[in-house]
Each structure stands twice: as C-alpha cells, then as structure tokens.
Amino acid sequence: MFAHLNTVSGFSLQYGTCQVEQLVSQAKKLGFSHLALADHDTLAGAIAFALACQKAQIHPILGVNFKVAQSRLVLLAKNSLGFGSLCRLVSLSNLTIDHIYKEVAQGNLAVLLGPHSNFGQAVRAKQFEVAQEILRHWTLLAKENIAIEVVTHQASKSAFSTSNAAVMLQLAKANRVKAVITNAVRYLTPTDAKTADILDAIRIKQKINPNRVERNNSQGYLKTPFEMAALAQEVASAAGQSDLAGLLVTFTEDLAASCALDPIKDLGFGSISLPETEVVLNGKTQGAHRELVARCEAGLAKWGVAQKSDYLQRLEAELSTISQLGFATYFLTVAEVVDLTKKLNIRVAARGSGAGSLVNFALGISGVDPIVNGLLMERFLSPLRTALPDIDIDVESHRRLAVYDAIIERFGAERAICLSMRDTYRVRHAIRDVGAALGYPAGEIDLFAKSLPRIKAKDVRKALSELPELKRSSFYKLFTQGKLDTYLDLVEKLDGLPRNLAMHPCGVLLSNSELLNRTPVITSASGYPMSEFDKDDVETLGLLKLDVLGVRMQSALSHAVSEIKNTEKIEIELEKIDLADKKTFELIQSTKVLGCFQIESPGQRELIGKFSPEVFNDLIIDISLFRPGPMKSGMIEPFLKARGGFSEADYLHSDLKPILQETWGVVVFHEQVIRLISLVTGCSLAAADENVVD
C-alpha cells in the first residue's frame, strides 16, 4: 500500500503545522500502514512519532530533511544504524555535504533527491548535464539506496509543478535510477494551508494581508493513496511515459517497506541503557551487584544498624528486587553523582519516593531512614515495574551548573548530556506572532496579549466570552462583531506547536557509549550539550534521567552554616541536629515562621497554629495535609478535631487502626493507601502500589 515518505510536523519549527500525534491519527484514519516523518534538520519529534505509530499499528519511518548549503535532501533510516547516522548528522553544528556522503556510504540510509536538492535545482535551471553528473555521483555512493523524489502540487512555475516532476521522472528513467512519488506534506488537510502561510510569515518576518489569508495552492496535505495514484498518473503522462505511473507507486511502497523501523528492535523502546559498570566503578572488575551489596553493608555499619534484624531483612529484600530487575548499576551511578556533589561541598538531598529505599539510605543518596519513618520500598521500586525508578536530588540552586559540569567531566560528554524541553505556543505567544504577521500595530497586539491569562491558545475564545475583565475591553467588542475571527482562527491553529527547544531546568541524561547514536545532541543557549528529546522520549528509550533540582532553600542553609562559622566560629553539621529541639518547636508553635521553608505561607501559619506540632513527625503530617488533594477533600478538619480531642478518631475498622493511628484515622500518606489496599485485599505491597491484586 502507498506510503508518504516526506512529511513534517510542528517540530519543523514555524514550518510544519501539526503535532506528530495528529499526523499519525490522520494517517490511521486514511488507512496507511506505513508513514515517514522527515522534519527539517531535527529528530526532536522522532520518538513521539514512533510511539504514536506503534500505538496506531503503523510502521514508522524516520528521516530528516537536511539543509546543506542552499539545497535540501531527505535521508531515511533503513535500520538502527541508519538512525544512529541521523543522530550524528543532526548533532553537527557545521553540517556539510561531505558529512552526509560519509554516512550514506555506510549503506544504512536511503537518499531522496527531491525538487529542492542540488539535483532538483539543476533540473529546474535546465542544467541537465550538471544534474546528470550529480546523479552519477550519488548513484556511485548510495547504490540501490538512491531515489529521485517526484513531487507535484500542481502549481505552475514552481519546484512543485507537474512539468518539473515530469522532467525529473524522465531523468530517473534515462539514468536507470528509481523514482518515488511524495507530496512533501506540510499539513493534514487543505484547510490547514492558512496555518502554513501564517507560519511562513512569522518565520521570515513578512506581513500578509489580514483580509485574504488564502494560499493560491493548498495541495501539500496528507493525500489518500487514491489521490497519490492519480498524481503519479498525471506526472507519468506529462513525461510521456504513462506506463511508469504504476512503477512510481510500487517503488515508493518498496522503499517504505525497506525503511520501516521496529520501535523495539531498532530504537530500543522498553530497553534499559545505563553507563557501563566499569565506568561507574572507575575500572574495577568487580560485578555491579557485588559492589552494591558491599557498599550497602558498609553504609548500614556507618549508621550503626548493621546488626539489626529488621534492617538486614529489609536490605536483603530490596537487594533481591534490584538484582531481579538488573538495576544495580543504576543505584551505583546515582550514588556516584551524589558523591561527586558532596566532594564539591554542595548540599545535596534526595526527594520523593526514593526516600523509601533502605539501599538509597545506605548509599548516602538519601538521608532519610525509611524504617524509622515507616516508608515503603514498593512505592519507589517493585518487581511489577520494569522501568527505571526515579530519584530526584536537590542541590544548592546557585551551584546547580557546577554539578552538571562535574557529571559531564566524570562520565564524559559521550555518556552525559542535558535534557531538553519544548516551548510551545500558548495564547500570548500566538497572539503576538499572528498579530505581527497580519500587520497589526505592535502596541495593540501587546496590550491584547497581556490582557489574556496564561492559557492555551485554543481557549482564547472561551476566555473572551467568559472572563469579566475581558468583557470590558475593546477586544471583546471586536470579538462580538466578528472582526477578530480570522485572527483568532489562526491563533487557535498554533496551539501546542513547538516554538523552540530549551535546556530542561534540572534533567541530566546518563547512558553508555552508544548514547550519541540514540539521541541527537545540540548545544543549549548556555553552552551545555543537550539532547533534542524530552523527558518522555528518554523514558521511552530507557535512558537514565536524573533530575538535579536547584533549590534556593539548600543555598540558604549552606549560606547560614557558612555565616555562623565565620561570625561565631561554630561548625554546624545540619544532619546531626536534634530533631526534638524544644526551643525550635516553641518557635513553630508561636506561628512566627516567616522564612521557614514550606511552613511560612499564611495558610500554613494558620494550620500550624491549630495543629501545634510537638515532634518532627507532626511537621511531616502538617506539610502532607497542606496540599490541594487533602484540602479539597476536607481532610484537615476531621484530623484537627480528633487530634484536639473534640471528636473520636474514626478508623472504620479496628484492623485499620495500626495503619491510621499516627494520623488520627485520616488517610494522609501514600504509604497508608498501599498498606490499606494490601490489608483489605490480601495482595502484596507491590501489587497494592500498582492497584493490582495478585
């Protein structure tokens, strides 16, 4: 069946008009079994596209439409090695044709010479000898992996004219080179052509007539197999070779089949890729699990609990799970990052469910004893989850980049890079960009954008209709008169489209020496190597993503300790401070806690006044209660009444009392939920966390 070999998404910034999921959905609707994505100079949408194809049972084809000098050509990966070639080429900041020749010569890429390639440009300029020389060179280099891309948008006097396509088909036959037909797809349906026009105007900063936002030609859409067969016949007839129409379609289908990728086999979906054990262990030959066991035992000895049976049993259970999942290297890698941070005299602490792991406590990743605090390993890691666990670490905000530098220096730029995130169009950006393209006065555009809340671009009409403050504006009057219809239509069309890639504020990516063959790497504005993929993409690929969060309170703590040492000549070790200090709790109970992390807001001060915390665990409960879920569900009032003795704690059943006693019958912690499900259903704690009963 026919397959489109040259389509783009919104990741072709300010060129493509749709998101990858929309592209795949439309292809599924039209009955395609294969589909290619060849965005301009980027692979940023490749993993999301392949994942969407996998869900839609469409064979994904991944490529890139590269700009080389003043021409463009499409390269399609034929296998995992071809995808690696694409990653390396995208990563080059000074890409030249020689770089492309080198990768194509390896035989893992298919080359499409289309209307905008140097071959196509020579054809259009009627420099046929030059065109044939270019074709001969490519044929010698790429052999059977070369194809001439024939495109017609039925637009006269353009690169996408039928007459130009016919000449390219004639040259393909004359030189015994296969030709394929594509539609150089930019948008999903003809009505989306307006969006393409507005994006062009935004990209080249050229104003267009707001009273006539229409293309003379809107043929660059995702056409059906029937429509593409008709185009093939039109081009073949124009070339005087009607019998070639069938071959055009057949060659296209054959090339699609040869370039179809298996997301699991070729892209590594569902796999786990960690730094090599010998790299993590600095060349030691000892196995990862043996090293992990030794370090954990040493860690428990350091804390003076190595002989306690409950600790030994918990450690054995956790290590068994880690061994079963093959995650020993993961824990050693995270421990190495934490140790690097500590050596720089930077404060560091783990956050989230990772605090429930005794292994993390023993390795020094977390400073929280999960047994003392009643935390569960299953919330963090269990045999029922094969994906890598997630450990977030907090560091001093002003030294976060120093941690990045240390990680990259320790593991090497071929194994450690930063993560990216997508800045997408929301209402204010869309209002400004579309308004500028339509030639509206800059001052009025800016005023309109600032009058809108920070919402999605697709919700602009809803905001104008419902928000009282907007109903009093001049824009509301124009809106009700229908004078903003075209403007708002275009604003809504830009909703969610990527505007640019930026460095993630905390994500660091770690893997083995194959990392640069699995992700394209570009340079961030601050000069750090950065993957084009976002956090969801790298999780799909099974790469280790570590969140290194810069926290101002960590900086404040570090500064306070330093100043006390300088002024009072007293050295304070925060980790050894008495958590039951009487004067500290007297201060907290007074509610004079401005500047105290997490308990300084007006709402928290009110809750603390009613709660009157007496021990450290009370603070944990207080902070857990002061969240949207507990507050909206009315959990605070019954807790305070029971704690204050104004009512009896309601445990529903006596068997639940041991689980809910510390929170006076109110379910506050995720661990309580897990234990309750396990108790009531009889399932394991791991199954309870997955909401699955064995």
Side-chain angles (χ1 to χ4, degrees):
M1 183 179 180
F2 181 81
H4 283 281
L5 296 177
N6 185 0
T7 73
V8 298
S9 73
F11 285 101
S12 294
L13 300 180
Q14 296 177 337
Y15 183 82
T17 65
C18 66
Q19 299 179 46
V20 291
E21 294 81 5
Q22 295 171 328
L23 177 62
V24 173
S25 177
Q26 180 71 358
K28 181 70 174 178
K29 181 180 177 181
L30 298 179
F32 288 103
S33 61
H34 294 68
L35 183 67
L37 179 70
D39 275 317
H40 285 198
D41 307 304
T42 182
L43 281 167
I47 302 305
F49 171 78
L51 184 61
C53 284
Q54 186 183 50
K55 293 177 179 177
Q57 297 183 319
I58 292 175
H59 296 288
I61 301 166
L62 296 178
V64 178
N65 189 318
F66 284 106
K67 182 177 182 181
V68 188
Q70 301 303 312
S71 65
R72 284 195 168 275
L73 78 162
V74 173
L75 300 181
L76 302 176
K78 295 176 68 67
N79 46 42
S80 61
L81 296 176
F83 182 73
S85 291
L86 293 178
C87 289
R88 292 191 294 273
L89 289 171
V90 171
S91 301
L92 292 170
S93 59
N94 57 341
L95 180 68
T96 67
I97 194 65
D98 289 333
H99 293 125
I100 289 179
Y101 288 157
K102 179 181 177 181
E103 295 292 348
V104 168
Q106 296 178 26
N108 300 305
L109 295 170
V111 182
L112 303 188
L113 298 180
H116 293 309
S117 66
N118 54 358
F119 167 76
Q121 290 171 339
V123 170
R124 194 173 175 213
K126 301 188 185 308
Q127 298 173 343
F128 298 118
E129 290 185 4
V130 174
Q132 288 191 317
E133 182 57 34
I134 292 171
L135 193 56
R136 276 194 293 271
H137 178 78
W138 276 110
T139 303
L140 288 172
L141 183 73
K143 300 180 174 59
E144 72 278 2
N145 292 326
I146 186 76
I148 291 177
E149 179 191 7
V150 173
V151 185
T152 176
H153 287 173
Q154 300 166 319
S156 60
K157 298 181 180 179
S158 82
F160 292 158
S161 67
T162 299
S163 59
N164 192 60
V167 175
M168 291 181 70
L169 179 60
Q170 290 170 338
L171 286 172
K173 183 182 180 183
N175 290 274
R176 297 179 178 272
V177 175
K178 290 182 180 179
V180 297
I181 186 166
T182 82
N183 204 42
V185 176
R186 280 189 72 182
Y187 36 90
L188 300 182
T189 66
T191 57
D192 295 325
K194 291 181 181 180
T195 310
D197 271 354
I198 206 72
L199 287 172
D200 286 343
I202 292 170
R203 187 178 68 256
I204 63 177
K205 294 179 170 56
Q206 178 178 313
K207 298 176 183 178
I208 57 179
N209 187 343
N211 297 317
R212 188 178 180 278
V213 187
E214 296 286 352
R215 294 175 71 91
N216 293 325
N217 185 290
S218 56
Q219 294 298 308
Y221 65 95
L222 195 72
K223 295 189 174 182
T224 66
F226 177 81
E227 289 174 305
M228 292 306 297
L231 285 182
Q233 187 62 58
E234 179 180 321
V235 173
S237 297
Q241 304 282 342
S242 296
D243 57 321
L244 294 182
L247 281 177
L248 256 182
V249 173
T250 299
F251 288 156
T252 305
E253 293 171 348
D254 290 346
L255 184 57
S258 70
C259 292
L261 299 182
D262 182 331
I264 296 174
K265 176 184 174 184
D266 294 316
L267 301 178
F269 281 21
S271 64
I272 300 295
S273 298
L274 301 169
E276 298 88 344
T277 302
E278 57 269 23
V279 172
V280 178
L281 300 182
N282 280 309
K284 289 183 182 179
T285 57
Q286 183 170 325
H289 189 74
R290 182 182 297 180
E291 177 72 14
L292 180 64
V293 172
R295 291 192 186 185
C296 286
E297 290 174 346
L300 293 187
K302 174 186 173 183
W303 288 103
V305 294
Q307 302 304 317
K308 293 186 176 182
S309 60
D310 51 347
Y311 282 84
L312 293 175
Q313 291 171 7
R314 173 74 170 262
L315 180 62
E316 183 180 358
E318 290 194 14
L319 288 172
S320 175
T321 298
I322 292 170
S323 176
Q324 179 182 337
L325 295 171
F327 288 170
T329 301
Y330 169 80
F331 284 89
L332 293 171
T333 303
V334 177
E336 180 71 5
V337 171
V338 172
D339 289 344
L340 285 173
T341 307
K342 291 177 179 178
K343 288 176 183 176
L344 294 171
N345 292 318
I346 298 174
R347 286 192 54 77
V348 56
R351 70 157 65 192
S353 62
S357 167
L358 184 63
V359 168
N360 283 338
F361 178 63
L363 292 174
I365 295 171
S366 167
V368 177
D369 186 331
I371 293 180
V372 170
N373 291 279
L375 303 177
L376 298 175
M377 168 71 161
E378 287 79 6
R379 185 181 170 191
F380 168 65
L381 181 69
S382 85
L384 301 182
R385 291 197 301 273
T386 56
L388 283 174
D390 193 15
I391 299 177
D392 300 341
I393 59 173
D394 294 347
V395 301
E396 299 168 36
S397 59
H398 69 294
R399 301 190 67 187
R400 176 175 59 90
L401 294 180
V403 179
Y404 284 13
D405 293 335
I407 293 172
I408 294 172
E409 181 180 355
R410 167 64 177 82
F411 291 95
E414 72 279 9
R415 290 183 178 87
I417 57 177
C418 296
L419 204 59
S420 70
M421 63 180 186
R422 286 81 188 258
D423 177 23
T424 59
Y425 270 106
R426 292 178 67 82
V427 71
R428 292 186 176 185
H429 283 139
I431 286 289
R432 288 190 173 99
D433 282 1
V434 173
L438 295 177
Y440 294 149
E444 293 183 17
I445 296 170
D446 188 58
L447 183 62
F448 186 20
K450 288 179 178 177
S451 70
L452 291 161
R454 300 181 186 278
I455 57 174
K456 295 180 179 180
K458 66 180 181 181
D459 294 331
V460 61
R461 281 186 166 91
K462 182 179 180 182
L464 282 167
S465 300
E466 296 179 359
L467 295 179
E469 60 270 28
L470 291 179
K471 288 184 177 181
R472 294 190 293 269
S473 70
S474 59
F475 306 110
Y476 178 74
K477 183 177 180 180
L478 294 172
F479 168 61
T480 56
Q481 293 172 347
K483 294 181 179 180
L484 295 181
D485 286 353
T486 298
Y487 188 7
L488 298 183
D489 285 345
L490 294 168
V491 166
E492 291 170 340
K493 284 288 189 181
L494 298 192
D495 181 69
L497 290 180
R499 293 183 70 245
N500 56 58
L501 297 182
M503 191 169 83
H504 193 279
C506 58
V508 177
L509 198 57
L510 290 162
S511 187
N512 54 35
S513 59
E514 285 297 304
L515 178 62
L516 303 187
N517 294 325
R518 300 194 65 199
T519 173
V521 179
I522 56 178
T523 302
S524 71
S526 54
Y528 284 88
M530 175 179 80
S531 169
E532 282 196 328
F533 298 150
D534 71 4
K535 62 182 182 64
D536 296 325
D537 296 336
V538 300
E539 287 176 4
T540 299
L541 291 173
L543 303 176
L544 193 166
K545 175 184 70 70
L546 185 64
D547 284 337
V548 181
L549 297 99
V551 178
R552 283 178 293 178
M553 185 51 63
Q554 291 285 6
S555 293
L557 289 169
S558 178
H559 178 71
V561 169
S562 177
E563 287 301 297
I564 290 170
K565 181 179 178 180
N566 292 336
T567 59
E568 304 293 332
K569 309 304 179 187
I570 298 173
E571 291 196 25
I572 295 178
E573 293 185 60
L574 293 175
E575 287 71 20
K576 294 183 179 180
I577 284 180
D578 182 9
L579 297 182
D581 183 70
K582 184 178 178 181
K583 290 185 177 180
T584 298
F585 280 98
E586 288 176 354
L587 174 65
I588 292 172
Q589 290 166 5
S590 74
T591 71
K592 297 176 181 179
V593 289
L594 284 176
C596 293
F597 187 50
Q598 290 197 331
I599 59 172
E600 63 177 327
S601 69
Q604 262 289 16
R605 297 202 303 274
E606 180 183 355
L607 177 57
I608 280 176
K610 296 176 180 179
F611 192 156
S612 192
E614 298 173 351
V615 295
F616 189 75
N617 193 57
D618 287 346
L619 289 175
I620 297 173
I621 295 172
D622 169 89
I623 293 169
S624 299
L625 281 170
F626 199 76
R627 291 179 293 121
M631 293 173 70
K632 289 181 181 178
S633 58
M635 294 165 62
I636 294 178
E637 185 177 351
F639 172 84
L640 291 175
K641 284 184 176 180
R643 176 181 166 81
F646 300 106
S647 65
E648 291 290 328
D650 184 5
Y651 297 109
L652 295 179
H653 192 281
S654 59
D655 288 349
L656 307 184
K657 186 174 180 179
I659 299 174
L660 300 177
Q661 192 166 17
E662 69 169 324
T663 53
W664 299 88
V666 177
V667 180
V668 175
F669 303 120
H670 189 87
E671 283 78 5
Q672 290 175 314
V673 175
I674 295 173
R675 288 189 170 103
L676 286 172
I677 294 174
S678 176
L679 175 66
V680 172
T681 65
C683 72
S684 67
L685 291 171
D689 188 53
E690 296 293 313
N691 295 318
V692 176
V693 179
D694 287 338

